[in-house]
Amino acid sequence: MAEGVQEISARVAATAGAGVEECWMEVEGARMRYLRAGSGPALILLHGLLGYSFSWRFTMPALAPYATVYAPDLLGAGFSDRAFALDCSMRATAKRVVRFAEQLGLPSFDLLGTSHGGAVAMMAADEFLASGSRLKLNRLVLVAPVNPFSSHGKRLAPFLGTPLGAALFRLTFPRMPFLFAYWHRRMYGNRNHIPPGTLEGYMAPLAIPGLFEHGLKIVRTWTQDLAELETILPKLASLPTLLLWGSSDPAVYASSARPLAQFFPNSQTVIFPGIGHLPYEECSEEFNRALLEFLARTRVPA
């Protein structure tokens, strides 16, 4: 008997370990799935493009003794509703992160985002720091975040957002499963470091149609999103920030860490030698250690 979507979702949630709870919330009329674990100060984890809460299966158990961790599948991704009419620009996605935090009833929290989720985290930080916001963002953690200073992706992502690029993608990627595996392997600095079951975990949400179409909607506004992101960076200077990167990142070049860090005077940068785009998987122990040290060392503003 074939597994249903709910069974697959629950099974994948269990990979994050005991004490992780699978939860659901309605946002903009659609169901958003999220994982919750631990106790203590709140920390929200935002996944990257075509990722979902599965990305944090090694991070959540390490953080749970020190924080209440929330890992959403952003609308359109993971096991959340696909919501085909969704505005997938970075700004609109950031506003949904704000609503997520509001509906959780969090007075203050830390925010971590990786890759596209890192860019969304910076946009969300701009929303949280705006006058009149009821929520207090304490600290920001950016893991190889998409940013205006990395040359990689500035041509491919916008091309896939064009009608021609989207048509070519639809003709190839969804019909050739080996391409998913190929691009996933490329995200690692050392393919021998890919944890068992990783590819299967990332492919599990394909049980719900529309994941690739969601990705195409995201890249449709890529160029405009990066231009807007560059304009809001000076507004984030007050936030204690941790930048985490793999030196061999093939997706968002580690060379972009330095120009990005210039906008965060109260920041620390950690580069993991030989590691690719997913340090929270490829060197999870070192990643968790750097994250916990930052959270323990930095003082949360009163």
Side-chain angles (χ1 to χ4, degrees):
M1 182 177 178
E3 253 186 321
V5 171
Q6 288 186 340
E7 289 80 8
I8 297 172
S9 173
R11 174 170 54 79
V12 173
T15 63
V20 175
E21 182 181 3
E22 185 179 34
C23 308
W24 301 86
M25 173 190 295
E26 184 169 310
V27 177
E28 294 186 2
R31 285 213 319 161
M32 178 186 285
R33 174 184 181 265
Y34 67 98
L35 303 183
R36 178 177 62 201
S39 61
L43 171 62
I44 297 175
L45 309 176
L46 302 180
H47 60 78
L49 180 64
L50 298 184
Y52 67 113
S53 55
F54 176 73
S55 299
W56 309 117
R57 64 198 182 282
F58 303 123
T59 309
M60 295 187 76
L63 292 173
Y66 311 99
T68 303
V69 188
Y70 301 91
D73 294 357
L74 297 173
L75 288 183
F79 291 96
S80 290
D81 285 353
R82 294 295 176 253
F84 294 103
L86 206 64
D87 180 348
C88 292
S89 66
M90 287 181 188
R91 177 63 72 178
T93 306
K95 289 179 181 292
R96 286 191 288 275
V97 172
V98 172
R99 282 190 281 278
F100 176 71
E102 288 175 341
Q103 290 181 223
L104 288 173
L106 304 178
S108 67
F109 56 94
D110 300 315
L111 182 60
L112 181 155
T114 185
S115 194
H116 177 262
V120 170
M122 288 184 274
M123 286 280 196
D126 181 46
E127 294 283 336
F128 290 125
L129 293 174
S131 61
S133 175
R134 295 174 293 166
L135 305 175
K136 182 180 180 184
L137 178 60
N138 295 320
R139 293 168 292 194
L140 191 59
V141 180
L142 303 173
V143 185
V146 166
N147 67 82
F149 311 111
S150 175
S151 59
H152 189 273
K154 285 191 173 181
R155 291 189 180 135
L156 178 59
F159 172 70
L160 291 175
T162 65
L164 174 60
L168 290 174
F169 180 88
R170 292 187 186 102
L171 284 172
T172 55
F173 211 86
R175 303 182 184 192
M176 301 179 182
F178 68 88
L179 289 176
F180 193 107
Y182 169 76
W183 285 105
H184 175 260
R185 288 195 302 270
R186 287 192 71 248
M187 295 298 102
Y188 291 80
N190 184 339
R191 294 175 186 177
N192 293 323
H193 293 166
I194 302 176
T198 297
L199 177 61
E200 294 79 4
Y202 278 113
M203 292 185 71
L206 293 175
I208 305 175
L211 180 62
F212 292 136
E213 287 300 318
H214 173 68
L216 289 173
K217 287 182 70 175
I218 288 175
V219 297
R220 200 172 297 160
T221 58
W222 196 268
T223 300
Q224 303 95 300
D225 287 341
L226 284 179
E228 182 182 4
L229 180 61
E230 189 165 9
T231 67
I232 62 101
L233 286 174
K235 304 177 186 179
L236 310 183
S238 64
L239 286 171
T241 301
L242 175 64
L243 299 173
L244 298 170
W245 236 290
S247 67
S248 300
D249 191 328
V252 184
Y253 294 151
S255 58
S256 64
R258 179 171 292 183
L260 181 62
Q262 300 302 311
F263 292 92
F264 299 95
N266 186 11
S267 69
Q268 175 192 358
T269 301
V270 177
I271 305 292
F272 301 107
I275 299 300
H277 191 54
L278 313 175
Y280 40 85
E281 295 186 359
E282 191 172 356
C283 62
S284 58
E285 290 186 8
E286 293 87 345
F287 176 88
N288 292 337
R289 187 180 306 117
L291 177 55
L292 288 169
E293 286 176 358
F294 169 76
L295 295 175
R297 184 176 61 253
T298 54
R299 182 176 65 86
V300 176

